[in-house]
Amino acid sequence: QVQLVESGGGLVQAGDSLRLSCAASGRTFSNYAMAWFRQAPGKEREFVATISSGGGRTGYTDSVKGRFTISRDNAKNTMYLQMNSLKPEDTAVYYCAAGRAFSVRLTSGYDYWGQGTQVTVSS
């Protein structure tokens, strides 16, 4: 029903910024809450940020508060993650996800996933 494709990852230095994008297919994008997760080598996939279906509410994991901003443009079927003041510990594959309930922070709360985009932050 929903296909998600991430883009915008890359190699940057600590302190730099990146903006990730998640493009969704279908005509029901605005019905879904969305989230970003990330997974570093050897670690479990972890929650990063979430946004309600209309974009009015957001939530973040503590480690990215004040640095990352999640947003969405439902007219363009696209979600974004603006990442500022990047740190080496932000290095991971970042995944876009879609689900029915806002503020769910478990992977089991999301029905659709993108393929991931690599973010590497050097020191």
Side-chain angles (χ1 to χ4, degrees), residues 5-9 19-23 36 78-81 96 117:
V5 180
E6 302 96 335
S7 62
R19 189 177 76 160
L20 305 183
S21 297
C22 173
W36 290 97
T78 304
M79 178 181 65
Y80 306 95
L81 184 67
C96 174
T117 185

Side-chain angles (χ1 to χ4, degrees), residues 49-60:
T50 187
I51 188 166
S52 60
S53 60
R57 295 179 294 166
T58 59
Y60 302 89

Side-chain angles (χ1 to χ4, degrees), residues 55-76:
R57 295 179 294 166
T58 59
Y60 302 89
T61 192
D62 287 344
S63 64
V64 308
K65 287 180 179 177
R67 299 189 298 120
F68 291 10
T69 303
I70 189 171
S71 63
R72 66 192 295 164
D73 186 340
N74 286 346
K76 296 181 178 179

Side-chain angles (χ1 to χ4, degrees), residues 38-60:
R38 65 187 181 187
Q39 188 167 20
K43 298 186 66 177
E44 189 173 326
R45 191 170 300 185
E46 66 172 347
F47 169 81
V48 177
T50 187
I51 188 166
S52 60
S53 60
R57 295 179 294 166
T58 59
Y60 302 89

Side-chain angles (χ1 to χ4, degrees), residues 33-35 37 47 49-50 100-110:
M34 302 289 293
F37 286 76
F47 169 81
T50 187
R100 289 292 186 182
F102 170 71
S103 197
V104 174
R105 301 193 174 198
L106 301 174
T107 58
S108 60
Y110 297 88

